[in-house]
Amino acid sequence: LHVRSRRQRQMCKETDQGNGDDNYFSAFRTFDSQKWDYREPLTAHVDTLRDSVCRRGDLILTLRHTNGYEYANIWLELTSDRDSTLCDTFDIVLADSYGRWRGRGTGPSHQVVDTLRRGMTLHRGETLTLRHVMRADTVAGIEQVGLSYCPEH
């Protein structure tokens, strides 16, 4: 997986309005119980794109977890209702070999941002589904997961 540079992420954030006047998109799911059940995926209905077919861009994952997360990584599956060939599985590394959390955070909360797909074409009306595919049906320590789409400039 490729991590976007801090400047690239900032450029995407600075212009991301998500109000239909642009071609950016984001969707987040918060887990109040800090537990992510396999049967409760993030379902992101793409409805804020200005164009019906967006130019190519990057799909970015944001995941926030607590110190209570018991694993060094998380396996995720991304699917689309529009493209049956889109069924990707990602191994997102959350901690290094010494057990230090990657990403940013203070106290018990840590956030990791990673690029899932580069050069992806997104369509208005498409639905993306992101779920964890860990061996346990429910994983504790996950606070929030989100997808953001940043089109190429």
Side-chain angles (χ1 to χ4, degrees), residues 43-112:
T43 303
H45 184 69
V46 180
D47 57 1
T48 59
L49 297 181
R50 178 188 64 227
D51 301 333
S52 60
V53 177
C54 191
R55 62 186 179 272
R56 296 167 57 90
D58 297 339
L59 188 65
I60 316 261
L61 167 77
T62 302
L63 187 135
R64 197 171 67 230
H65 65 90
T66 67
N67 287 333
Y69 187 72
E70 298 177 350
Y71 309 98
N73 66 337
I74 187 166
W75 285 90
L76 302 174
E77 177 187 76
L78 176 69
T79 57
S80 168
D81 69 337
R82 181 175 181 87
D83 183 357
S84 61
T85 64
L86 175 64
C87 183
D88 287 335
T89 304
F90 302 95
D91 177 16
I92 306 299
V93 178
L94 301 177
D96 65 18
S97 59
Y98 297 102
R100 291 183 298 238
W101 295 117
R102 287 184 56 224
R104 297 184 168 269
T106 57
S109 188
H110 305 276
Q111 180 172 302
V112 173

Side-chain angles (χ1 to χ4, degrees), residues 28-43:
F28 288 82
R29 178 166 188 154
T30 301
F31 303 99
D32 294 329
S33 64
Q34 296 182 356
K35 294 180 181 175
W36 189 3
D37 188 308
Y38 172 82
R39 296 171 300 235
E40 298 176 0
L42 166 64
T43 303

